[in-house]
Amino acid sequence: MTTRILIVDDEPLIALTAVDMVEALGYEAIEAHSGAEALEILGNGQKIDLLITDHSMPGMSGAELVREARLIKPELAVMVSTGYAELPEGFEEGTQFLSKPYSELDLFAKIEAAIR
């Protein structure tokens, strides 16, 4: 069964690039452009194995999204992708962190670590 990844970024070009990379690596990708849109996808019963979210988004930060997403799906694997040099405050210990910009190899390694 294919791993299904929900990618959340308010910048459409960044989201599209991430989707393309994820699909090139052999995973299935679903794209959302806001925390609210991501929560709607998570709440409609779709199988999601991993949430990859940007941190700095208008309306709902990545940390807020992760907290809300885990109320819907507590076992959800999570990765934060951000331009910050380190994981911003507000995330649980053990949250995977991927610094932008990243390579396909970096993305693959972090996805595998997150879903194992």
Side-chain angles (χ1 to χ4, degrees), residues 96-108:
Q96 291 291 324
F97 171 69
L98 183 61
S99 182
K100 292 178 184 176
Y102 50 82
S103 70
E104 200 169 273
L105 185 59
D106 292 336
L107 179 61
F108 177 74

Side-chain angles (χ1 to χ4, degrees), residues 56-79:
S56 297
M57 298 184 293
M60 181 182 296
S61 73
E64 292 167 330
L65 171 57
V66 169
R67 279 193 298 276
E68 293 296 317
R70 288 218 166 119
L71 293 175
I72 297 169
K73 190 173 180 179
E75 73 285 359
L76 183 65
V78 174
M79 183 188 317

Side-chain angles (χ1 to χ4, degrees), residues 39-58:
L39 291 174
E40 185 176 315
I41 291 167
L42 287 167
N44 73 14
Q46 290 189 55
K47 175 190 170 286
I48 303 293
D49 300 298
L50 173 63
L51 168 67
I52 300 177
T53 184
D54 184 24
H55 177 61
S56 297
M57 298 184 293

